[in-house]
Amino acid sequence: MVLRIIDVACPICQCPDPQPLGDPLTDVENRVEGRYTIARCQVCQFIFLSRRPDAESLNQCYGQNYYTAVATPKNRFRQFLYALRARARMHRLLRLHGRMPQSLLEVGHGNMEFLKFLGQQFKGRCQLTGTDIKIHAIHAPDPSFNIRLVEGDVGSLNLGQSFETIVMYDVLEHIADPLIALRNLHKHLEPQGSLIGQVPNWNSVWRHGFSRHWSGLQIPRHQNFFTAKTLRSLLEKTGFQLVSVHNVYDPGDLSVSFCNWITDTLKLQTLSRRSWFFIPATLLAAGVVALQVFLLRNSGEIEFKAVPLSSIIK
Ligand SMILES: [Zn+2]
């Protein structure tokens, strides 16, 4: 695999001279070759991967082991955790949007975990659509769910309709040009609709604790790193108004960071998200992360709701 690595300007304000945050880093999770630089824009404060694979090379960085390309693990406990997460996500979605939407688009539906769950729960009362850069047949849903799937780049998609709700969970950090992507999603959202998403929180205490092993880095697959403040700026620049941001309880932030640290420090062959490794670590992390969220008011993931302004602000 030969990756083409390039230096880029700030994707939000195009400032060409970002300030590197520390030394170049390697991929400790999937061990993609190369060294990459995280930098902060000196004008708009946006944090991003300033030295990164170009668009064509980025697709190669996901590899054959990435969770969207392989069958969902058969491990029953892991499936139980996935279902728990999908249920919690659905309840938050209903609360944030205020009602069950009649149409919903999931951007970056990955292994279809959430769309399939919604298909079971909504039972045809909500029109469900998913889009991803690559659709893997291995995750195809039961036709009875009636879920429309569209393969393509979120920045240039034209789905021919607008949606009452658009959701994107752990997607915005992967997108090389979030400005173009969000502007295109704005065109697909009904005037009274909601955009709901989740991103890793740059201000997570575990980033400070685990540094280059922090689960939210995932370089070079993650291109953008968000705080609530930079998220607000990005949304406002793309025609949205940020309505709310809140912490999401996610033990994976600590357990994956810990597994990254162990595998890298001990030079283990296994990847840090293997079930036998990941599940015990997640169980151990569950209590600690509860303290992080409820006592420290801090989390590894933040969820937001935004609504469209009447027109795009250029
Ligand atoms: Zn900038």
Side-chain angles (χ1 to χ4, degrees):
M1 180 166 65
V2 179
L3 299 179
R4 190 161 169 265
I5 298 175
I6 54 172
D7 291 299
V8 299
C10 171
I12 309 304
C13 75
Q14 307 307 320
C15 168
D17 188 26
Q19 180 76 38
L21 300 176
D23 296 329
L25 300 171
T26 56
D27 177 11
V28 297
E29 197 165 318
N30 281 19
R31 298 161 200 172
V32 167
E33 65 183 65
R35 296 173 76 80
Y36 305 93
T37 304
I38 296 175
R40 179 184 276 122
C41 174
Q42 299 186 73
V43 175
C44 75
Q45 308 302 311
F46 191 67
I47 301 168
F48 62 102
L49 203 61
S50 63
R51 189 161 177 74
R52 60 167 69 170
D54 69 3
E56 205 173 304
S57 301
L58 183 57
N59 291 332
Q60 297 177 48
C61 296
Y62 287 86
Q64 295 173 341
N65 288 325
Y66 198 68
Y67 83 105
T68 56
V70 297
T72 306
K74 295 246 184 296
N75 183 301
R76 283 200 174 178
F77 190 72
R78 191 154 186 159
Q79 288 184 347
F80 168 74
L81 291 179
Y82 281 156
L84 213 58
R85 179 170 67 179
R87 183 173 294 280
R89 212 166 252 184
M90 181 190 73
H91 285 300
R92 292 200 306 271
L93 162 67
L94 293 176
R95 194 174 64 241
L96 287 169
H97 185 59
R99 61 186 178 277
M100 183 196 294
Q102 294 192 336
S103 58
L104 178 143
L105 168 68
E106 181 174 19
V107 177
H109 58 254
N111 63 4
M112 301 281 306
E113 162 202 338
F114 191 50
L115 277 181
K116 285 179 185 173
F117 184 80
L118 292 183
Q120 286 168 344
Q121 298 293 315
F122 289 173
K123 296 184 175 26
R125 289 170 292 166
C126 173
Q127 180 213 350
L128 297 171
T129 304
T131 181
D132 214 314
I133 192 77
K134 177 134 186 70
I135 292 178
H136 297 273
I138 200 166
H139 300 301
D142 186 318
S144 65
F145 288 161
N146 200 21
I147 298 174
R148 177 190 175 203
L149 297 178
V150 181
E151 188 174 81
D153 181 340
V154 62
S156 55
L157 275 177
N158 181 358
L159 296 174
Q161 69 170 105
S162 56
F163 298 86
E164 190 178 331
T165 305
I166 298 178
V167 298
M168 51 193 325
Y169 297 101
D170 290 311
V171 172
L172 210 45
E173 65 273 21
H174 289 267
I175 297 175
D177 196 331
L179 214 60
I180 287 179
L182 284 171
R183 281 183 175 150
N184 194 32
L185 289 181
H186 185 280
K187 293 179 194 163
H188 286 84
L189 190 59
E190 291 178 0
Q192 306 301 320
S194 312
L195 172 71
I196 294 167
Q198 184 175 310
V199 291
N201 177 14
W202 180 257
N203 288 328
S204 168
V205 294
W206 305 118
R207 181 180 65 78
H208 297 285
F210 285 96
S211 186
R212 69 193 181 90
H213 298 112
W214 179 50
S215 73
L217 290 186
Q218 280 200 49
I219 54 167
R221 291 166 296 285
H222 286 187
Q223 315 286 291
N224 313 302
F225 305 93
F226 296 97
T227 65
K229 197 172 170 186
T230 57
L231 189 59
R232 178 184 295 277
S233 304
L234 174 61
L235 287 163
E236 286 176 354
K237 203 160 178 153
T238 49
F240 294 94
Q241 180 185 356
L242 182 65
V243 176
S244 63
V245 184
H246 61 265
N247 293 320
V248 175
Y249 173 74
D250 175 24
D253 186 44
L254 171 56
S255 61
V256 173
S257 302
F258 176 75
C259 292
N260 285 344
W261 176 71
I262 287 279
T263 49
D264 188 43
T265 305
L266 301 181
K267 306 291 177 219
L268 301 180
Q269 291 297 311
T270 186
L271 294 175
S272 50
R273 290 183 195 248
R274 289 278 182 264
S275 289
W276 65 268
F277 197 17
F278 171 80
I279 290 174
T282 301
L283 288 174
L284 287 171
V288 179
V289 172
L291 295 176
Q292 174 196 2
V293 174
F294 298 110
L295 288 184
L296 297 182
R297 305 280 178 206
N298 178 272
S299 65
E301 296 271 335
I302 48 177
E303 188 176 47
F304 64 91
K305 174 187 171 180
V307 294
L309 293 168
S310 53
S311 61
I312 292 186
I313 300 168
K314 299 287 182 190

